[in-house]
Amino acid sequence: MGLERNHFSDFRWLNAHWEWVLALLCLPLALIFFDDFGLTWDTSAHLEYGQRTLHYYQNGFSYAESFKTGNIADKGPGFVFLNSFVHWLFGLEPLRLWHLLISFCAILTLPPLAGLGKLFGNQRVAFFSVLALLLMPRFVGHSFTNPIDIPFACAVCWSMFAMLRL
């Protein structure tokens, strides 16, 4: 009889880590919808800059032409480089990969936001902060097309959460 499972403790774990369950539930939705979003006006410039940056690193830091692309160089260079690197590594279609990686960044914004809510208040604050973010049409729309703001929001949430936990 000592091997009986306590289902109440499972519910307590689920209640304590609901933000990760929500993120895992959002993954299939992102995999379904990421292909239905179009392009923004600067997507081609971002993709070109990512390819040039990748070429710069591949050639041993000697291809300085990659940084002569106008004002696109200061708008999400880490994300466009990541997209180009994953495209080079696995050979996936860059535009489809673009939407998928941005949506993954949006999903990864949810757990630290809930963690911030838990640190500032309680489960209720965490729940309503995540709910407010998910109900913002601009966040949901940009979650598939904006390579600047969504990865930045993800990085800010994770860094704030890490600083407050430390």
Side-chain angles (χ1 to χ4, degrees):
M1 302 309 162
L3 297 177
E4 290 181 20
R5 192 165 184 183
N6 187 354
H7 295 290
F8 186 68
S9 65
D10 290 343
F11 181 71
R12 249 187 281 155
W13 182 89
L14 184 65
N15 190 29
H17 302 289
W18 60 267
E19 63 273 9
W20 288 101
V21 174
L22 177 67
L24 287 174
L25 290 175
C26 288
L27 278 176
L29 293 173
L31 291 172
I32 292 170
F33 293 120
F34 83 95
D35 220 8
D36 294 335
F37 284 81
L39 300 175
T40 57
W41 63 273
D42 60 347
T43 301
S44 60
H46 280 291
L47 291 174
E48 175 67 27
Y49 179 68
Q51 290 296 321
R52 288 181 181 198
T53 307
L54 180 66
H55 192 64
Y56 171 76
Y57 288 114
Q58 286 174 334
N59 288 329
F61 308 103
S62 62
Y63 185 67
E65 291 295 316
S66 65
F67 301 109
K68 296 178 182 174
T69 57
N71 69 345
I72 202 76
D74 60 346
K75 297 181 179 173
F79 180 81
V80 296
F81 173 72
L82 174 69
N83 184 61
S84 297
F85 181 71
V86 172
H87 164 64
W88 172 76
L89 199 62
F90 298 113
L92 302 172
E93 184 182 344
L95 289 176
R96 296 183 74 209
L97 179 65
W98 179 266
H99 295 304
L100 190 63
L101 287 177
I102 296 172
S103 66
F104 286 166
C105 286
I107 291 169
L108 285 176
T109 305
L110 302 177
L113 182 64
L116 286 170
K118 289 177 187 178
L119 289 173
F120 283 124
N122 54 19
Q123 289 282 2
R124 189 176 299 138
V125 174
F127 174 75
F128 283 113
S129 62
V130 170
L131 183 66
L133 186 66
L134 288 176
L135 291 178
M136 284 184 194
R138 183 168 291 199
F139 178 78
V140 174
H142 283 223
S143 293
F144 296 94
T145 59
N146 193 331
I148 303 164
D149 297 335
I150 297 300
F152 183 71
C154 182
V156 166
C157 282
W158 276 106
S159 63
M160 292 299 294
F161 179 68
M163 284 190 289
L164 288 173
R165 290 287 299 193
L166 289 174

